[in-house]
Amino acid sequence: MNGADAESVRPAAGVRRGRSLLTRVGAVFLATTVAVGLAAVMLSAEIVGRQRHQDLLHRAGLVAATQADALSGPVWELDDRTAQSMIEALIARDTAIRSIAVFESSRSAPLAESALPPIGRAPETVTIERPILRRGHDGREERIGLLRLVYSTGEVAEATWNALVPVWGLLLLSLLTAVAVLALWLNRALLRPLIRLTQLSRAMTRGEYGSRIDIDRTDEIGVLAESFNRMAETVQDHTRTLEDRVRERTEALAQTNRAIMDSINYAQLIQSSILPAPDTLSEGLAEHFVLWRPRDVVSGDFYVCRPVGDGFVVGVADCTGHGVPGAFMTMTASAILNNVLDQMGADDPAAVLAAVDATVRATLHQGGAARSLTESFDNGLDLALCHVRPDGRRLVFAGARLPLLVVGPEGATEIRGDRHSLGYRQEAGAAPARFTNHAVRLRPGQTFYLGTDGLADQNGGRLGRSLGKRRLREVIARTAGESLDRQKEAVEELLAQFQADRAQRDDITLLGFRVRLAEAERNAGTGSTAAGNAAAVSTAECAA
């Protein structure tokens, strides 16, 4: 098996691989054969041992009968010497005899006896007794003594073992031959096809659905191979069909997505057209920067800068939602704001906010509590609006939940907006929201910032917390003496480092500007000793 095949049959990660089938079958076969062989050997040993024991008894009986006849003369004559020499000669000839004793009938003590000394553990013995008879002249037999032979059965065990040694050798040789033949047969007939099936199965898991196995057999392995080939063909057909369908639907979705994105991109162009052009911003502002980053292609934030009779208006708005819904709200809110400014002017920003509040609520039919599911939506906006009069050295600010940050030589001051949003539903009979004007005297060196909450709420950093106002103000304070273009770069660097690879959370809008003052006012402001860069000179409240 080559390297590729070896790699393909490795067990998958997390799957415990046990012993191979050949090992298990061989182990079972070996255990069974050994058990059967041991049983056969033990049975053979029992049979052979019994046969050898019977042979020993038969031989002992013959020896005892022959020797008893030979000893009848010496016993009758009480010739103990002859009897002793005869039994010693017998014990020397037959190694199985452990002892011999000859008794005369009238005495209890043996006439002659001989015994071999014990060697090691005493073996088992068997005793044979034969009477010694003398035939008289009248033909009758008379018992004149007793011959006692003690035989050792040790040679029975030795003879049994010697007889079984060839059987053991033949059994071991047969066992090894059978195991080798079985292993070769299993490897050829069973394991190789199974390994090939395993390789092809893993190839299918890698997406190679053209894998097939070629086995010309009709047994179970052949049936398994045929079933695998049919399964692989079915999977390949289904996969091709599924891939074709996925490809078709992907192309359809891509076309739909392109159409949607084309529409959204065109909507971005439309939304961008309502934003003030750079020339418009530069006409009334000495310097400015705009950081406008939609979370999606289109935004729910917008900013405004337009001239009015005695100055210009600067504002930032954050509408409900983001993306396409937010963009619809920006178009609606921008049109309403411009209409209100056209009708009322910009002298009273608080009154403008009140009018926008009432108009948005009326336009979206949010005059009371929702009476049905279709009326359950609730939309509106937060708005910060500044009326700037450079000739009058005056800025009037009114805010609906959005603040104005003023940074000058004396430090930074935040003028908070009122805690009311615009356009959202109110309880029936609730009093209209009231907004407050804040007047700021314009001096040289002042910078003003309007922004939505998207920048401060952007999460990031090591703990994923919000960026917050403190970090933003630190960057603004550090770059207060630099150009606004440089301030914008510093804010963008802060946002990029803090956000890192996290997704943008909301639409982001930050507008910074410096007012172009008359030369005489700049000189007068330089010599002024008045303190504070956010002196409120008038306050007015307007109801919706």
Side-chain angles (χ1 to χ4, degrees), residues 69-84:
D69 291 340
L71 287 172
S72 61
V75 172
W76 173 256
E77 296 175 358
L78 300 178
D79 187 356
D80 56 345
R81 290 184 178 180
T82 303
Q84 185 69 31

Side-chain angles (χ1 to χ4, degrees), residues 311-459:
F312 56 90
V313 173
V314 180
V316 167
D318 182 1
C319 298
T320 303
H322 37 71
V324 174
F328 273 102
M329 279 298 302
T330 62
M331 302 297 291
T332 302
S334 176
I336 291 174
L337 176 59
N338 286 318
N339 183 61
V340 170
L341 289 173
D342 290 338
Q343 293 181 1
M344 298 179 55
D347 292 338
D348 190 349
V352 173
L353 295 185
V356 171
D357 178 36
T359 306
V360 169
R361 187 176 296 108
T363 302
L364 298 180
H365 305 288
Q366 299 179 161
R371 292 170 296 180
S372 63
L373 182 62
T374 57
E375 296 180 357
S376 62
F377 64 90
D378 194 11
N379 299 292
L381 69 151
D382 298 337
L383 178 61
L385 196 63
C386 295
H387 178 214
V388 184
R389 296 173 57 193
D391 293 339
R393 304 180 300 277
R394 175 185 173 93
L395 180 149
V396 180
F397 163 76
R401 301 186 69 89
L402 295 181
L404 169 67
L405 180 63
V406 184
V407 177
E410 294 81 7
T413 302
E414 181 183 72
I415 303 176
R416 296 184 179 180
D418 294 286
R419 300 180 64 181
H420 302 287
S421 296
L422 306 180
Y424 291 98
R425 291 184 183 275
Q426 290 182 332
E427 295 293 334
R434 302 175 67 87
F435 301 94
T436 305
N437 284 326
H438 303 272
V440 179
R441 182 177 180 84
L442 297 179
R443 293 185 177 85
Q446 289 177 320
T447 306
F448 302 91
Y449 301 90
L450 295 172
T452 61
D453 57 4
L455 182 58
D457 290 346
Q458 176 60 47
N459 59 316

Side-chain angles (χ1 to χ4, degrees), residues 120-195:
R121 186 173 64 87
E124 293 183 5
T125 58
V126 58
T127 301
I128 303 296
E129 293 183 347
R130 176 71 63 180
I132 300 175
L133 302 177
R134 181 177 179 278
R135 185 181 301 274
H137 296 289
D138 54 0
R140 290 188 305 171
E141 293 182 343
E142 178 184 3
R143 179 174 176 172
I144 61 174
L146 177 68
L147 174 63
R148 180 181 295 165
L149 300 177
V150 178
Y151 269 80
S152 171
T153 59
E155 75 170 19
V156 174
E158 182 178 356
T160 301
W161 172 256
N162 292 335
L164 291 179
V165 167
V167 177
W168 275 101
L170 181 61
L171 178 63
L172 180 60
L173 181 60
S174 301
L175 180 61
L176 294 177
T177 303
V179 169
V181 171
L182 179 64
L184 292 175
W185 180 83
L186 283 176
N187 185 59
R188 180 179 180 84
L190 186 62
L191 293 185
R192 286 183 183 178
L194 291 180
I195 290 174

